[in-house]
Amino acid sequence: MNEITVSRLSCILLSLFPALWGIFSLLNNTAGFADTARHAVGPLLTMQDTYQVPGLMWRAVTAPWAGMLGLVFITLLESLAGITATLGIVLMVKHLGHSYAAFAKGKAWAMLGALCAIAVWGIGFMVVAGDWFMAWQAKDSPLAVQLGALLYMVPNTLALMLLMLQRDAR
């Protein structure tokens, strides 16, 4: 065991965050797609759990199909995170003992997966759902959407940072 191997293994291990969360999200979202769209995404988009401040309600999306379309977009980004990070892990494992350039090709795919994860959970849920659709105003469990998204975004951000910073001489 040497420093380069441990450094590379840490890249593989942290890449499991976007890979597994993305794949599990795909499985979860598709298992109960219509119900998730109706009971989770739809109410968020219509801002039904907020205090209904008139100056903010123009943001609400009330079209009956909006929850489905929103969940399609969410599922696409989560799936991209899982698929690209998984491809990155496979390539990193395949090239674990090879040149840095070969290993770095896997890192690039894993970084793309982490970026997709940050986009959906950080920007999508924390910023757009949280502040545009006023999820932080929820009468029950305020900040639940944003705090939940933060739990998903932080490990993916740390994974991206490690992947960007890790270098070796091979």
Side-chain angles (χ1 to χ4, degrees):
M1 191 62 54
N2 61 47
E3 183 181 348
I4 291 172
T5 302
V6 173
S7 173
R8 290 179 176 196
L9 287 172
S10 67
C11 290
I12 293 166
L13 183 68
L14 281 179
S15 295
L16 288 169
F17 280 106
L20 293 176
W21 267 333
I23 290 168
F24 293 163
S25 294
L26 169 64
L27 296 173
N28 294 340
N29 291 352
T30 56
F33 192 86
D35 287 335
T36 301
R38 182 174 33 268
H39 298 297
V41 180
L44 179 77
L45 296 176
T46 60
M47 299 169 63
Q48 74 181 31
D49 196 31
T50 68
Y51 294 107
Q52 308 281 308
V53 176
L56 300 174
M57 290 308 294
W58 64 270
R59 299 175 184 181
V61 179
T62 58
W65 47 264
M68 290 285 218
L69 184 62
L71 188 55
V72 164
F73 187 70
I74 290 165
T75 303
L76 270 171
L77 268 177
E78 290 172 341
S79 299
L80 274 172
I83 292 166
T84 57
T86 299
L87 176 60
I89 290 168
V90 168
L91 291 172
M92 285 188 284
V93 168
K94 180 180 175 186
H95 299 293
L96 185 62
H98 296 103
S99 71
Y100 175 74
F103 184 78
K105 289 179 182 175
K107 278 179 37 175
W109 283 103
M111 289 186 329
L112 180 59
L115 280 172
C116 289
I118 292 166
V120 70
W121 292 308
I123 296 171
F125 284 99
M126 288 178 68
V127 178
V128 177
D131 277 307
W132 183 257
F133 290 107
M134 305 303 289
W136 67 268
Q137 275 192 1
K139 295 170 192 157
D140 296 319
S141 301
L143 294 179
V145 170
Q146 289 169 302
L147 291 174
L150 181 66
L151 291 174
Y152 279 79
M153 190 202 68
V154 168
N156 287 293
T157 302
L158 293 173
L160 177 63
M161 290 169 38
L162 172 71
L163 291 165
M164 290 172 62
L165 293 173
Q166 187 274 342
R167 300 275 187 273
D168 59 60
R170 274 196 197 167

